[in-house]
Amino acid sequence: MISFPKPDVEQFLRTFSIGDFALSPDEKQLVFSTNLSGKYNLWGMNLPNTFPYPLTFVDQSCQGLLYDKQSRFIIAGFDQDGNENTQFYGIPLQGGAMKEIVYHEDTRNFMPMLSEDSNKLYYTSSKENPSYLNAYCLDLESGRETKVLEGKDAATYLYGLSPDEETLLYYKHFANTYTLLYAKRGNENILLTPPTEKQHTVNDGVFVSDSMVFLLTDYDSDFTYLASYNLETDQFSKVKELENESFDGLKYSKEHQLLYVTSQKGVEDHLYEYNLQSTDWKKLSSPCSVIEKLEVAKSGTLYLLGRSATKPHNIYKRLGNEWISLTQYSVPGVDSNDLVEPDVITYPSFDGMEIEALFFRAKKENDNGEVIFWPHGGPQAAERKFFRASFQFFLNHGYSIFAPNFRGSSGYGLEFMKMVEGDWGYGPRLDNVAGLDWLIKQGYVQKGNILLMGGSYGGYMALLLHGRHADYFKAVVDIFGPSNLFSFINSVPEDWKPVMDQWVGNPEKDKEKLIEYSPITYLDYMTKPMLVIQGANDPRVVKDESDQIVQALKDKGRDVEYMLLEDEGHGFSKKENEIAVYQKILSFFNQFVRSKEKA
């Protein structure tokens, strides 16, 4: 009998991802952004055939993907090696030479939208107004461009068009927990939630007629619900809400008069259908735990991009009551039974608040007794039941992973999400410490023998926990985490800066607090071996955030390794980089495995 070696790192990290997709009006072509070649490009499938073929060779991830409603071309946005300065290009339906459509050097361009006849492209841009943004309409035939919206007071994003294209839908982003939706009709700007001084959010909205908008909001509520606004009568109405569940996505089927609503409840998503004529509401099955994108074709057929803890990104089509997977992404060479589903647990924090967490436990035959503590990024995001190739890779090598959704995480209500604002380094930190204490009390680990790793805000929290609670850990990995809140506030993209006072703090008014919450304040206590990873082009957490903490630790003679990726931004868009990063982390962690046999 032939025996085979244990799956190598590359088998887990060669798992492909899908970033976005678009569908032709006749449903004969599906276009999607995927790293099937090791780097992100656009690929197509001529349905019902599902064999993919390449459309672009730019080797860049896609931000914004549209299919011409007249089936003549594709619009796609690409940045350069993670710098997030997205520009928009036209692409032939079968691929080939791309044409610059919107190209403004060193600008951030967002949310492209096509008019019904696809002769006009609407988009939001940082050009001319980097702090608050403007929106433009580009006539694709004449090349003439007009400004249709000027941002003031907050970053302002064009979001939708009425069927007659006379009314614009836009939202203002004052904070992640304070976003307002407006309709602009002529010179009139109509707020689509009732006036109130209490902060709330609107996270989606669609026109179902020239005068009726359906929207998702948590106005006067802790969780987001479905509401409507009649522009003729100025009437706001609550339509549907579910207990402890936040609606976060909305799609409209004009032909069938149906609304499709996706929702977030803790670590999983749900899918619902609302009939505008009968007002019937029903829950639909979903093929995955987390829904990344939903589209509804003119035929009424649903297409969905999603993933689960043990299933990578795939695109699904709904036929009757069944979902058919159009893509077949899995972990190459690894049986699905060898992958790990997380346990969902709750534990009490320092003030009695219940914190939900995902606990991925390595299978007994692989378990090396080590636990990686993973504070997630965001911070106003959450660790959910979605596939991470890196998690399954570490699990297969014997490492269990504990990932808490500390205060500030999304999916647990507006008030919970607001708890991190202006409090980056106290409440969330103590929630994480309570999670560490829970692991110790339950007998999964011993104090001082825990491995710590996080990315983005999770990297910040890894640094802070190391500086303030080093006695819990034996090694720390920081992946592009802010190290100094003062320099972080000053270096974020211009359109982020208006929200920083509420989100993080004001460098003058909150000086003492920001010193207390900055990891670099605690250099003297960062005594454990460290690995720091950074993308050179990261516009969110710039290279200097890692440079300064690494240099400061080296100056103190500390054991710190630094891995700088010259062609990455805030994440890993290229397979060879991702593989190199996690090979490095595995090698780093393996030095601290207590058992004689290394993982």
Side-chain angles (χ1 to χ4, degrees):
M1 189 62 158
I2 300 174
S3 61
F4 295 96
K6 199 172 190 173
D8 185 29
V9 57
E10 293 207 17
Q11 286 176 246
F12 286 88
L13 299 178
R14 284 288 174 194
T15 307
F16 303 121
S17 297
I18 300 172
D20 200 356
F21 76 94
L23 188 71
S24 65
D26 60 8
E27 300 177 63
K28 289 185 178 179
Q29 187 184 31
L30 181 78
V31 177
F32 60 112
S33 172
T34 181
N35 55 357
L36 190 55
S37 65
K39 298 177 181 178
Y40 278 93
N41 280 290
L42 293 186
W43 291 67
M45 296 193 300
N46 292 333
L47 302 177
N49 301 316
T50 57
F51 189 85
Y53 51 89
L55 296 174
T56 67
F57 300 90
V58 293
D59 295 342
Q60 303 293 338
S61 57
C62 179
Q63 297 92 37
L65 182 59
L66 302 173
Y67 207 102
D68 168 32
K69 297 172 187 178
Q70 310 300 319
S71 296
R72 297 165 298 182
F73 55 81
I74 297 160
I75 297 286
F78 300 102
D79 72 350
Q80 185 63 42
D81 291 338
N83 67 5
E84 299 186 20
N85 289 332
T86 298
Q87 313 297 330
F88 299 125
Y89 301 83
I91 301 166
L93 299 183
Q94 297 305 314
M98 305 194 311
K99 180 180 180 180
E100 290 179 1
I101 302 296
V102 171
Y103 192 95
H104 308 295
E105 196 78 33
D106 298 324
T107 64
R108 292 155 61 81
N109 301 296
F110 311 88
M111 302 172 68
M113 292 183 293
L114 286 167
S115 58
E116 194 56 42
D117 61 10
S118 290
N119 291 333
K120 298 186 187 73
L121 178 71
Y122 294 84
Y123 69 99
T124 301
S125 178
S126 67
K127 73 168 184 170
E128 303 176 323
N129 191 359
S131 293
Y132 300 129
L133 312 178
N134 292 334
Y136 300 88
C137 174
L138 174 65
D139 189 306
L140 295 176
E141 293 184 337
S142 69
R144 183 168 161 269
E145 184 172 88
T146 54
K147 183 168 64 178
V148 296
L149 193 64
E150 183 172 351
K152 296 177 181 177
D153 310 319
T156 303
Y157 300 84
L158 183 62
Y159 202 78
L161 304 168
S162 61
D164 63 7
E165 296 181 28
E166 295 295 320
T167 307
L168 304 178
L169 207 59
Y170 69 93
Y171 74 90
K172 289 192 169 190
H173 183 264
F174 296 95
N176 291 338
T177 57
Y178 186 27
T179 54
L180 299 179
L181 189 68
Y182 294 83
K184 178 178 172 61
R185 189 168 49 186
N187 293 322
E188 188 181 15
N189 292 278
I190 304 163
L191 177 62
L192 299 189
T193 47
T196 176
E197 292 188 3
K198 186 177 181 182
Q199 292 189 0
H200 60 280
T201 67
V202 182
N203 58 13
D204 210 343
V206 294
F207 280 100
V208 300
S209 71
D210 291 328
S211 60
M212 180 64 78
V213 178
F214 278 81
L215 59 146
L216 304 179
T217 182
D218 49 26
Y219 164 77
D220 200 29
S221 176
D222 196 27
F223 288 83
T224 307
Y225 55 87
L226 178 65
S228 66
Y229 193 96
N230 189 317
L231 293 169
E232 295 300 321
T233 62
D234 291 327
Q235 182 69 38
F236 172 88
S237 303
K238 182 181 286 189
V239 176
K240 182 69 177 182
E241 64 180 334
L242 296 175
E243 187 177 1
N244 295 333
E245 201 160 331
S246 281
F247 298 165
D248 63 358
L250 193 57
K251 289 294 176 183
Y252 171 52
S253 172
K254 174 185 173 183
E255 291 74 18
H256 297 82
Q257 289 295 290
L258 296 171
L259 283 175
Y260 292 96
V261 180
T262 56
S263 80
Q264 182 178 351
K265 187 171 186 180
V267 297
E268 292 187 287
D269 287 342
H270 300 291
L271 176 62
Y272 301 95
E273 179 186 276
Y274 178 66
N275 190 308
L276 293 176
Q277 295 176 319
S278 69
T279 70
D280 287 343
W281 175 273
K282 66 178 180 180
K283 185 176 182 179
L284 304 181
S285 64
S286 174
C288 49
S289 298
V290 175
I291 300 168
E292 310 275 1
K293 184 175 183 178
L294 182 72
E295 290 291 346
V296 54
K298 286 187 176 182
S299 66
T301 303
L302 295 180
Y303 292 80
L304 183 152
L305 169 64
R307 51 184 168 152
S308 303
T310 57
K311 287 199 299 185
H313 281 112
N314 278 293
I315 300 171
Y316 302 86
K317 176 181 180 179
R318 191 166 186 258
L319 292 175
N321 293 320
E322 298 295 321
W323 290 93
I324 307 299
S325 186
L326 299 178
T327 54
Q328 303 295 329
Y329 286 175
S330 61
V331 183
V334 178
D335 190 283
S336 60
N337 292 324
D338 292 330
L339 303 176
V340 175
E341 285 280 350
D343 294 324
V344 182
I345 65 102
T346 58
Y347 64 86
S349 191
F350 68 100
D351 57 357
M353 178 174 286
E354 287 290 308
I355 302 298
E356 189 168 67
L358 292 178
F359 192 12
F360 295 81
R361 304 188 212 196
K363 292 182 179 291
K364 284 186 177 180
E365 62 270 24
N366 298 324
D367 193 354
N368 63 6
E370 303 293 338
V371 175
I372 298 171
F373 191 86
W374 170 266
H376 65 72
Q380 289 164 316
E383 196 59 43
R384 315 194 65 222
K385 281 189 177 180
F386 47 45
F387 183 83
R388 287 187 187 270
S390 57
F391 275 25
Q392 296 297 334
F393 162 63
F394 285 118
L395 287 158
N396 194 261
H397 282 80
Y399 296 86
S400 296
I401 301 169
F402 188 84
N405 282 333
F406 43 82
R407 67 193 68 201
S409 302
S410 60
Y412 302 93
L414 181 65
E415 293 307 312
F416 190 84
M417 192 172 170
K418 290 184 81 67
M419 287 180 177
V420 72
E421 293 178 343
D423 183 26
W424 273 39
Y426 183 72
R429 172 175 59 86
L430 295 182
D431 288 345
N432 281 290
V433 172
L436 293 163
D437 288 336
W438 183 89
L439 285 167
I440 294 164
K441 186 177 180 181
Q442 298 297 318
Y444 294 112
V445 288
Q446 293 179 337
K447 193 170 185 178
N449 274 316
I450 301 170
L451 299 165
L452 176 60
M453 176 172 67
S456 193
Y457 178 87
Y460 157 84
M461 184 55 67
L463 291 172
L464 189 64
L465 288 169
H466 184 195
R468 303 203 65 174
H469 306 278
D471 54 335
Y472 282 88
F473 310 108
K474 57 183 175 180
V476 179
V477 175
D478 157 38
I479 307 171
F480 38 76
S483 64
N484 181 331
L485 294 183
F486 292 96
S487 55
F488 171 64
I489 289 168
N490 288 328
S491 62
V492 296
E494 289 300 313
D495 51 297
W496 284 32
K497 288 181 179 177
V499 311
M500 299 305 281
D501 277 12
Q502 176 168 327
W503 194 36
V504 185
N506 181 282
E508 294 180 4
K509 289 190 288 187
D510 302 313
K511 181 179 178 181
E512 294 305 315
K513 181 172 69 174
L514 293 176
I515 292 171
E516 180 187 347
Y517 293 169
S518 289
I520 206 161
T521 302
Y522 304 98
L523 288 169
D524 288 345
Y525 307 99
M526 293 185 184
T527 57
K528 304 303 166 81
M530 280 192 64
L531 170 62
V532 176
I533 295 161
Q534 176 71 42
N537 302 320
D538 193 337
R540 304 182 184 201
V541 181
V542 299
K543 176 175 169 286
D544 181 60
E545 289 300 306
S546 292
D547 286 353
Q548 62 180 297
I549 193 88
V550 168
Q551 189 59 52
L553 288 168
K554 283 183 175 180
D555 289 346
K556 288 184 173 290
R558 301 292 156 71
D559 180 2
V560 55
E561 296 182 65
Y562 191 20
M563 185 177 187
L564 181 65
L565 304 166
E566 296 291 349
D567 56 349
E568 293 286 10
H570 200 68
F572 312 122
S573 62
K574 299 169 179 65
K575 271 290 163 202
E576 63 266 29
N577 290 337
E578 184 182 8
I579 289 168
V581 164
Y582 288 109
Q583 281 178 328
K584 181 70 174 177
I585 295 173
L586 178 66
S587 175
F588 177 72
F589 278 161
N590 277 348
Q591 301 173 71
F592 308 100
V593 175
R594 285 166 293 166
S595 59
K596 289 182 181 178
E597 273 198 54
K598 300 297 182 184

